[in-house]
Amino acid sequence: MIAREAGGARWLLLQLQHHLIGDHTTLEVMHAEVRAVLEGREHELSAPQPFRNLVAAARLGVDAKAHEEFFRTMLADIDEPSTPFGLREVHGDGSGAREAQRMLPQALNARLRVQARRLGVSLASLCHLAWGQVVARSSGREQVVFGTVLFGRMHGGAGGDRTMGLFINTLPLRLDLDGSGVEASVRTTHARLSELLAHEHASLALAQRCSGVAAPAPLFSSLLNYRHNMPAAISGAGADDGLSGVEWLGGEERTNYPLTLSVEDFGEALGVTAQVAEGVSADRVCGYMQRTLEQLAEALERAPNTPVRELDILPAAERAYLLEELNRTAAAYPSDVHPRAVRGAGSQGAGGGGGGLCGGARELWRAQCAGQPSGASSDRARGEAGSAGGDLPCAQSGDGGGAFGDPQGGGRVSAAGSGLSVGAAAPGARRRGAAAGAGRCGRPCRAGLRGAAR
């Protein structure tokens, strides 16, 4: 789409591309050809490579039966979806997704590469294991599955790196974040990724049918995309920064998965980009990945037999917030005032003046006595609510129900639901009912107890 900028002289170009027709390599090839034409170098362009070569290679390569056997071995015992943070919607369009990026410390980048070389594995293997631990901790499972993006050109044949079309594929990777040692888990992850490459053009639908997860539930809802980027991308330069007269304004990408983490490998630097559905912080997801990579590097350097399940994903700041800040319940309390006085003042303030709930209970008792003289005269038989004219000290309880009792005179006023029932127990009388715990002032309350002299 091309349009003139409103109120300006610039022309704007918007390019939309779906992965049904291409991938990142396709975009780079197309941009290189456009640049060559604009610079008058179209005669240097090589003959286009037909996409049908890939189709033939995929059809004549590993057959569907071999694909099915491989994925059934990997996924047959997986009977629940791996849905980190409870994100299950895998048919969205990416609208509302939040994105965050961060570059990892250069020291961490160097440590990870040293360990990858020491173990004879790829840096991508370490990153896949770290992401698996993030998925495990955020989904409450040790056997996790997530999607990984495969380049798709490893078996593309001659000219495969210059062919335009859809080569990439997303396939499930299963990892066990259990009691296995960290170093052993890295080697296992590397081996599974290597085996997966032989099936890089398998159907995702076929792979999902080989699991124990019944349709239409998703097998996984998160994605890891390990990307090899040009060093210029570190500073945010665009693909066309070398084209005279063209300014790169920016770009964005979305997937149908609610959680995607991209590892940006710039050769000498490493970064992460998270895209997350609304409701989960993308920056916190980046923090989880960074923390897990730090823990992984530390374990490989100092204690390679550490169980992989023990790798922590919480950054120190977030752990302190969850365990300390959210649990700071201490509050200033006057040491020279009795708790009943403090609570009585709060009750009066809440009631907008007047005697509070205990005063209301006292007035209700007096109203009952005034309306039923015979009941008042026989209060010795039924029990007396405290001394004559005395107040009813309270042991307050929560909203909607509770009990008020005089520990000295045996009076009881109980609140249950929206009504109040008043009763009294004569000294030494047996009471029926069950204790309802302790009131706000800490004194035990007996909700709904009525005195019955025998």
Side-chain angles (χ1 to χ4, degrees), residues 127-169:
C127 292
H128 277 78
L129 180 61
W131 181 242
Q133 178 67 350
V134 174
V135 174
R137 287 294 185 91
S138 57
S139 62
R141 297 179 55 83
E142 289 192 340
Q143 288 73 39
V144 300
V145 179
F146 57 89
T148 183
V149 180
L150 300 174
F151 187 50
R153 297 175 186 262
M154 303 296 291
H155 305 93
D161 59 333
R162 299 189 309 276
T163 305
M164 291 193 291
L166 174 62
F167 279 73
I168 64 170
N169 194 15

Side-chain angles (χ1 to χ4, degrees), residues 57-77:
R59 291 288 186 178
L60 299 176
V62 182
D63 61 16
K65 184 176 181 180
H67 290 321
E68 183 175 348
E69 181 179 354
F70 171 76
F71 287 108
R72 197 169 297 281
T73 300
M74 179 194 295
L75 304 170
D77 62 332

Side-chain angles (χ1 to χ4, degrees), residues 85 130 133-135 137-138 284 287-292 295 310-315 318-319:
F85 307 105
Q133 178 67 350
V134 174
V135 174
R137 287 294 185 91
S138 57
R284 289 172 68 185
Y288 299 151
M289 184 64 173
Q290 178 176 338
R291 174 61 175 171
T292 309
Q295 290 276 289
E310 294 183 7
L311 295 181
D312 190 15
I313 75 168
L314 282 180
E318 183 163 347
R319 177 174 292 277

Side-chain angles (χ1 to χ4, degrees), residues 79-433:
D79 55 5
E80 292 185 22
S82 296
T83 54
F85 307 105
L87 300 173
R88 300 178 60 91
E89 179 53 61
V90 297
H91 300 293
D93 59 1
S95 59
R98 301 292 185 266
E99 181 174 303
Q101 297 176 323
R102 70 168 62 182
M103 294 301 300
L104 301 183
Q106 192 58 33
L108 175 59
N109 168 63
R111 293 168 64 196
L112 292 170
R113 294 183 189 275
V114 166
Q115 292 303 315
R117 286 193 295 269
R118 180 180 72 84
L119 297 175
V121 301
S122 66
L123 180 56
S125 298
L126 271 65
C127 292
H128 277 78
L129 180 61
W131 181 242
Q133 178 67 350
V134 174
V135 174
R137 287 294 185 91
S138 57
S139 62
R141 297 179 55 83
E142 289 192 340
Q143 288 73 39
V144 300
V145 179
F146 57 89
T148 183
V149 180
L150 300 174
F151 187 50
R153 297 175 186 262
M154 303 296 291
H155 305 93
D161 59 333
R162 299 189 309 276
T163 305
M164 291 193 291
L166 174 62
F167 279 73
I168 64 170
N169 194 15
T170 299
L171 290 174
L173 176 68
R174 181 255 182 88
L175 294 179
D176 300 297
L177 287 306
D178 50 20
S180 303
V182 168
E183 184 172 311
S185 296
V186 169
R187 297 185 186 279
T188 300
T189 302
H190 184 75
R192 290 188 178 178
L193 285 171
S194 301
E195 294 170 354
L196 193 61
L197 288 177
H199 303 271
E200 63 177 351
H201 292 300
S203 164
L204 175 58
L206 179 149
Q208 293 185 126
R209 288 196 301 268
C210 293
S211 74
V213 178
L219 174 60
F220 58 89
S221 65
S222 64
L223 200 65
L224 178 70
N225 188 5
Y226 192 94
R227 304 192 287 206
H228 296 272
N229 298 328
M230 297 295 292
I234 298 178
S235 59
D240 289 335
D241 58 349
L243 187 58
S244 176
V246 176
E247 177 187 3
W248 175 262
L249 299 180
E252 64 178 30
E253 54 190 355
R254 294 291 183 266
T255 78
N256 58 289
Y257 291 97
L259 175 58
T260 301
L261 185 94
S262 298
V263 178
E264 318 289 358
D265 188 346
F266 300 106
E268 297 301 323
L270 202 62
V272 291
T273 302
Q275 289 185 2
V276 194
E278 191 172 7
V280 179
S281 169
D283 186 64
R284 289 172 68 185
V285 172
C286 291
Y288 299 151
M289 184 64 173
Q290 178 176 338
R291 174 61 175 171
T292 309
L293 287 170
E294 291 170 346
Q295 290 276 289
L296 179 57
E298 181 77 13
L300 290 173
E301 291 166 349
R302 300 178 180 274
N305 292 324
T306 301
V308 67
R309 65 158 64 102
E310 294 183 7
L311 295 181
D312 190 15
I313 75 168
L314 282 180
E318 183 163 347
R319 177 174 292 277
Y321 172 74
L322 293 174
L323 298 183
E324 298 176 15
E325 293 299 324
L326 293 183
N327 285 305
R328 293 191 188 282
T329 57
Y333 195 86
S335 59
D336 57 339
V337 181
H338 193 276
R340 285 186 179 177
V342 175
R343 299 189 184 281
S347 176
Q348 290 179 2
L357 194 54
C358 289
R362 182 172 59 252
E363 294 302 323
L364 178 61
W365 169 261
R366 290 173 177 169
Q368 284 187 336
C369 291
Q372 298 179 356
S374 60
S377 63
S378 60
D379 58 0
R380 291 296 178 183
R382 298 176 53 196
E384 185 172 2
S387 57
D391 292 339
L392 295 174
C394 74
Q396 299 183 1
S397 67
D399 298 334
F404 312 92
D406 178 4
Q408 303 298 326
R412 290 289 184 270
V413 180
S414 67
S418 59
L420 291 172
S421 61
V422 183
R430 298 178 59 184
R431 300 187 178 110
R432 296 177 179 175

